[in-house]
Amino acid sequence: MTMIDEEWFRTLDRFGKVGSRHHVVPKFLLQKWADSNERVWAKSKHDRIEGVRNIRDLAITDFYTFLADDGHLDARMEEVLSVVEEHAAAVLRRMNNPLATQTILTPREFGDLVDFVAFQITRSPRRRREYELMADWSGKTMAAGTLAAKVR
């Protein structure tokens, strides 16, 4: 059974995380590498500058917020990612606890890690751009011949 189902998704607040900053690499993982001031060594892909940066500065505003069919922003995917990360973080905390005697994953924990890894594989600015281009191409293909050409 997957943690994400359509009925649960519809109950999420679609505006709750609009305007929020989110990390492509989850904050709980960045914190493992950070100093006491929550700073890590990072290199920007945009300006190629590298150095010590605060974890909060590595976030992207509205990364998975999208414009819904009704013309309003929808940030429910960010909420889904928060839940997936929260569940994975709990499993990883238990697995990394040196005092834990039980190291075998339950089916639920295994599923939580599978969900997390699946999201991480597809969660990057490049991948998002690829999805945008595929959606754009699909939309243009589906509407081929049905839209009037724009004359300049």
Side-chain angles (χ1 to χ4, degrees):
M1 178 181 135
T2 183
M3 183 226 43
I4 303 167
D5 68 13
E6 197 173 324
E7 187 174 322
W8 174 78
F9 188 76
R10 276 190 254 115
T11 67
L12 297 176
D13 179 7
R14 62 185 281 200
F15 306 111
K17 291 191 181 277
V18 171
S20 296
R21 294 171 50 104
H22 302 277
H23 296 87
V24 175
V25 175
K27 187 176 180 179
F28 80 90
L29 290 178
L30 292 171
Q31 288 171 326
K32 295 289 185 188
W33 299 97
D35 65 15
S36 59
N37 294 317
E38 291 204 332
R39 296 178 306 171
V40 295
W41 188 269
K43 183 174 184 176
S44 171
K45 291 181 81 174
H46 301 291
D47 57 20
R48 301 307 230 189
I49 295 173
E50 58 184 272
V52 178
R53 299 175 116 168
N54 194 291
I55 291 172
R56 74 174 168 270
D57 297 332
L58 301 176
I60 302 170
T61 302
D62 287 332
F63 187 60
Y64 278 107
T65 299
F66 60 92
L67 188 62
D69 292 339
D70 63 4
H72 296 287
L73 293 176
D74 189 325
R76 288 181 287 189
M77 202 58 188
E78 297 288 0
E79 187 68 38
V80 169
L81 291 169
S82 295
V83 171
V84 168
E85 289 174 10
E86 180 183 308
H87 289 187
V91 174
L92 293 171
R93 269 192 309 273
R94 186 183 71 72
M95 289 177 63
N96 289 313
N97 181 351
L99 303 175
T101 58
Q102 178 62 279
T103 57
I104 298 172
L105 295 176
T106 67
R108 173 65 186 228
E109 290 172 325
F110 183 78
D112 289 342
L113 288 182
V114 167
D115 286 344
F116 177 71
V117 170
F119 273 104
Q120 283 306 113
I121 288 171
T122 62
R123 189 177 177 188
S124 70
R126 176 183 171 172
R127 185 68 66 161
R128 180 188 166 119
R129 183 66 183 137
E130 289 171 356
Y131 293 147
E132 289 170 348
L133 290 171
M134 285 187 284
D136 186 50
W137 180 84
S138 177
K140 287 177 181 176
T141 302
M142 299 290 279
T146 62
L147 299 176
K150 189 174 186 178
V151 179
R152 292 187 183 228

